[in-house]
Amino acid sequence: MKIEDIKNILIIGAGTMGTQIGLQCAMSGCDVMIYDAFPKILEKAEKRNDDLAAYLADKELISKETAKKALERIQYSADPEKAGQNADLVSESVPEDPELKGRIFAQFNKICPSRTIFTTNTSYLLPSMFAEATGRPDQFLAFHFHDVALSKIVDVMPHPGTSQEVVDLVKSFAEKIGQIPVVLKKEKSGYIFNSMLSPLIASALNMASHDIASVEDIDRSWMGVMHTPMGPFGIMDSIGLDTVWKVSSILPGNQNNPAALKAADFLKEYVDKNHLGKKTGQGFYSYPEPAFLDSDFVTGKAQ
């Protein structure tokens, strides 16, 4: 397969990241099918993409015409046969469970054409954990996006069995859709950015869960010194608190780490209330206008 042959993109999982990746591909001229087993989630995904396209157009990051055409290129389906039959490249964004991911890829291995490249958007799992389950391990790797409204960096991470041709194709595809690929030489849980971000999140959760400082003051400290638009808790809201909690529970060593267990319990209180962050409108902050966006947040004068 050549880069010009990658035209039809299948997104598996219509959560926040799946819908964003789908929109990014559509804005770059690809035809996109977003699949999820739950029709209600697909309805929310369509609304989310409509809102994101409007936001990007309002901020003049794309033209209104580009936004309109991109939305017209996206289809939504809960029918796996319909979703996978013409895919050239698959991007999977389902919950961080290697067995679940393996089962879904095995299902679509039977549906998708033999040419189809499989990729996972996993945040912390290694592709080798479920490469064999895909049925095409040589055509499978991790292709990880960040928030497309904030960053163009994408990680391309092969496992030992990925063919070099597929690595090169996915790297070229990333460039085709306006992203900046960074290619890892070997598997690393968390890739590059997340590997640096994880200690920050762990430290922030440790302080909050031990009531050393408030969520707001921890974010305020980071933002005030580093001059960033959000702090670690704002970042967690953007990722999704269910994802942060799930990842914290599967990372090696955390099961016997009292600080990690306490942090996980702290997060679980939010997850149990469905306060998952930006995607549910409530997490550590309330959305769409979180307190940290107030110009006086860092000074402490924001009401």
Side-chain angles (χ1 to χ4, degrees):
M1 186 185 297
K2 298 179 181 179
I3 185 60
E4 55 266 27
D5 298 323
I6 302 179
K7 301 174 182 177
N8 299 307
I9 311 303
L10 169 60
I11 305 296
I12 300 177
T16 301
M17 284 309 303
T19 52
Q20 283 193 7
I21 296 168
L23 181 61
Q24 182 65 43
C25 293
M27 289 191 300
S28 302
C30 297
D31 291 324
V32 174
M33 174 68 76
I34 296 180
Y35 165 81
D36 200 286
F38 302 98
K40 287 186 178 180
I41 292 179
L42 288 171
E43 291 175 13
K44 292 180 180 178
E46 187 166 5
K47 174 68 164 53
R48 192 182 300 121
N49 263 344
D50 288 346
D51 291 344
L52 179 55
Y55 169 83
L56 294 173
D58 288 344
K59 296 294 183 180
E60 298 184 349
L61 298 173
I62 60 174
S63 69
K64 291 183 178 179
E65 183 64 18
T66 296
K68 180 177 179 293
K69 287 183 177 179
L71 294 173
E72 290 173 350
R73 293 190 187 102
I74 303 175
Q75 298 182 60
Y76 301 82
S77 178
D79 179 348
E81 295 285 344
K82 176 183 177 182
Q85 61 185 352
N86 294 316
D88 299 315
L89 183 143
V90 171
S91 174
E92 166 271 315
S93 292
V94 302
E96 294 286 81
D97 180 336
E99 291 187 6
L100 172 63
K101 290 178 184 288
R103 288 197 304 271
I104 290 173
F105 275 121
Q107 175 188 13
F108 278 91
N109 182 49
K110 298 175 182 177
I111 297 170
C112 294
S114 60
R115 69 177 185 276
T116 310
I117 295 171
F118 283 2
T119 75
T120 176
N121 186 51
T122 180
S123 295
Y124 286 93
L125 300 177
L126 301 178
S128 59
M129 291 178 176
F130 46 99
E132 289 302 321
T134 68
R136 54 185 82 191
D138 59 323
Q139 293 172 223
F140 171 67
L141 49 63
F143 185 32
H144 174 253
F145 289 70
H146 300 272
D147 188 331
V148 300
L150 301 174
S151 169
K152 292 184 178 296
I153 294 292
V154 293
D155 302 288
V156 178
M157 184 171 75
H159 65 91
T162 308
S163 77
Q164 187 59 48
E165 179 186 4
V166 167
V167 175
D168 294 341
L169 266 174
V170 173
K171 179 177 181 290
S172 296
F173 179 71
E175 293 168 343
K176 175 182 176 179
I177 62 172
Q179 303 300 286
I180 303 169
V182 291
V183 181
L184 279 74
K185 297 179 180 180
K186 58 181 67 176
E187 289 184 305
K188 172 68 173 71
S189 178
Y191 309 94
I192 298 173
F193 177 78
N194 284 353
S195 293
M196 296 185 287
L197 177 65
S198 292
L200 169 65
I201 287 177
S203 179
L205 285 170
N206 181 55
M207 288 187 285
S209 64
H210 284 87
D211 203 27
I212 292 170
S214 69
V215 164
E216 292 79 10
D217 277 349
I218 294 169
D219 274 1
R220 187 175 290 119
S221 176
W222 185 265
M223 293 167 65
V225 175
M226 297 302 296
H227 302 283
T228 58
M230 66 180 72
F233 289 97
I235 293 172
M236 282 184 262
D237 272 356
S238 178
I239 295 170
L241 302 191
D242 52 337
T243 298
V244 179
W245 173 74
K246 179 72 173 179
V247 167
S248 70
S249 68
I250 64 174
L251 286 178
N254 278 7
Q255 291 78 7
N256 298 314
N257 183 334
L261 291 172
K262 190 172 182 65
D265 288 343
F266 178 76
L267 280 168
K268 189 66 162 51
E269 293 179 14
Y270 290 83
V271 173
D272 287 345
K273 296 175 183 176
N274 200 41
H275 291 177
L276 307 183
K278 188 176 180 180
K279 61 185 174 183
T280 60
Q282 180 66 51
F284 292 114
Y285 298 94
S286 298
Y287 296 84
E289 297 180 0
F292 60 76
L293 291 182
D294 192 297
S295 59
D296 288 325
F297 178 77
V298 172
T299 67
K301 296 177 181 179
Q303 298 298 318

